[in-house]
Amino acid sequence: MSILKIAIQKSGRLNEDSIQILKDCGISINNGNDQLKTTASNFPLEVYYLRNSDIPQYLIDGVVDVAIVGDNLLVEKGQNIIVAEKLGFSKCRVSVAVPKTFNYKSIKDLNGLNVATSYPNTVLNYFKSKGVTVDVHQISGSVEIAPNIGLSDAIVDIVSSGSTLFKNNLKEVEVILKSEAVLAVSPKISKDSEQVLEKLLFRIQSVLRARKSKYILMNVPNDKIQKVSTILPVLKSPTIMPLAEEGWSSLHSVIDEEKFWEVIDQLKSAGAEGILICPIEKIVL
């Protein structure tokens, strides 16, 4: 079987979560310090640890078959790169920020001004779409300091919590795009490697479904089972097992964690008691 070559960030915010999702897929990786490449011991996967900004070019050139990367970087550098799966972690946004003292009313206020960023293509395309002309200063790292040292009037950078902007007396005024980690595929991936990718995707999707779901157990009077079942979203139908106490059953199902809090009061009102929520490791469909 062909070996699938995958790139992940050598260091930074994507590194640990990228390694973790592969491990959750049952793939054993020796990720020792200062390694640039390693091979999984139980899956046909070769892992390349690369500088984040270099990953799109490695994909374009076909040096690696797939990569875990922020989709904001693909918007900036990733021509013809396909996203196979959104991974749900490292969520952030690429935003315009200005000094807190800037009397900002609309994007037109930045016309003719200087904008510092690590994402020049994204910035130019965005401002062009708004009919605004700006002078872009490309900076690698520490973009948020640019207005304080007089290099720019505004910045465009990745924002997660907004704490870095706050510390540098900046305020977020426009969101250009929202981003998260994705599994990106090289346009030059071979047919043999695509077969391995399908196996990897199957595992990743099983893990992602489990992360979004919880196993729910509850005790329900037998005459309330139908009512409770109609409230509870399930994969197909709930599992029902009789309890030692006559007239009661234990109802088991899977629920989207975000939906649980929407229906908990309805479940209790319908007669459910002793509700337990448990994590799920994998969901295979």
Side-chain angles (χ1 to χ4, degrees):
M1 182 179 289
S2 177
I3 292 180
L4 186 72
K5 294 175 288 187
I6 184 170
I8 65 173
Q9 194 179 71
K10 188 175 188 296
S11 60
R13 64 189 183 90
L14 283 170
N15 175 266
E16 289 185 10
D17 286 335
S18 299
I19 293 170
Q20 187 61 53
I21 196 168
L22 294 176
K23 289 183 176 179
D24 288 347
C25 289
I27 299 172
S28 182
I29 302 169
N30 177 15
N31 56 308
N33 292 335
D34 300 323
Q35 280 186 307
L36 297 179
K37 186 176 75 169
T38 188
T39 302
S41 61
N42 61 349
F43 190 84
L45 190 73
E46 197 168 62
V47 182
Y48 289 68
Y49 298 95
L50 302 177
R51 190 170 64 175
N52 191 51
S53 59
D54 292 339
I55 290 177
Q57 194 61 51
Y58 275 73
L59 285 167
I60 292 167
D61 293 341
V63 177
V64 296
D65 301 308
V66 295
I68 297 176
V69 65
D71 57 359
N72 62 290
L73 196 59
L74 299 183
V75 171
E76 177 67 21
K77 296 183 174 183
Q79 310 100 327
N80 302 319
I81 295 175
I82 297 169
V83 172
E85 188 70 43
K86 292 188 175 184
L87 301 177
F89 59 83
S90 292
K91 291 186 177 182
C92 63
R93 53 198 182 272
V94 177
S95 296
V96 181
V98 299
K100 291 179 180 177
T101 55
F102 193 115
N103 184 23
Y104 184 89
K105 295 179 180 178
S106 76
I107 197 71
K108 301 290 185 182
D109 293 337
L110 297 179
N111 193 56
L113 299 185
N114 298 323
V115 177
T117 187
S118 299
Y119 304 97
N121 294 329
T122 303
V123 169
L124 288 172
N125 290 336
Y126 175 75
F127 279 97
K128 183 179 179 181
S129 72
K130 299 295 183 181
V132 176
T133 301
V134 295
D135 185 9
V136 174
H137 290 266
Q138 185 173 356
I139 298 176
S140 297
S142 301
V143 174
E144 64 277 354
I145 199 174
N148 291 331
I149 60 176
L151 182 62
S152 71
D153 303 291
I155 68 166
V156 172
D157 201 11
I158 288 177
V159 178
S160 295
S161 66
S163 61
T164 301
L165 295 181
F166 181 80
K167 291 175 183 176
N168 285 275
N169 293 313
L170 300 174
K171 59 184 179 182
E172 184 179 8
V173 292
E174 301 284 346
V175 176
I176 293 179
L177 60 91
K178 293 183 178 179
S179 176
E180 65 181 274
V182 299
L183 184 68
V185 183
S186 168
K188 295 185 178 181
I189 187 171
S190 69
K191 294 295 183 182
D192 288 342
S193 294
E194 280 184 344
Q195 293 179 3
V196 183
L197 173 58
E198 287 179 10
K199 296 179 183 295
L200 177 61
L201 271 173
F202 175 79
R203 296 191 183 196
I204 287 175
Q205 288 163 355
S206 298
V207 169
L208 293 177
R209 279 192 292 267
R211 288 183 177 182
K212 295 175 183 177
S213 305
K214 290 290 183 284
Y215 193 72
I216 184 168
L217 306 85
M218 66 194 77
N219 298 331
V220 182
N222 289 342
D223 61 351
K224 301 292 186 181
I225 288 175
Q226 183 62 39
K227 186 175 181 181
V228 169
S229 297
T230 58
I231 296 170
L232 193 63
V234 293
L235 292 177
K236 285 190 177 179
S237 61
T239 299
I240 300 169
M241 295 182 289
L243 295 177
E245 184 176 346
E246 188 175 347
W248 284 77
S249 294
S250 177
L251 188 151
H252 298 212
S253 187
V254 173
I255 185 170
D256 187 321
E257 185 176 22
E258 292 181 356
K259 292 182 180 177
F260 171 74
W261 295 110
E262 296 177 9
V263 301
I264 181 63
D265 290 333
Q266 297 177 53
L267 292 172
K268 292 170 66 178
S269 297
E273 297 180 5
I275 301 172
L276 299 178
I277 302 295
C278 305
I280 300 172
E281 189 171 313
K282 310 285 188 300
I283 296 180
V284 180
L285 298 179

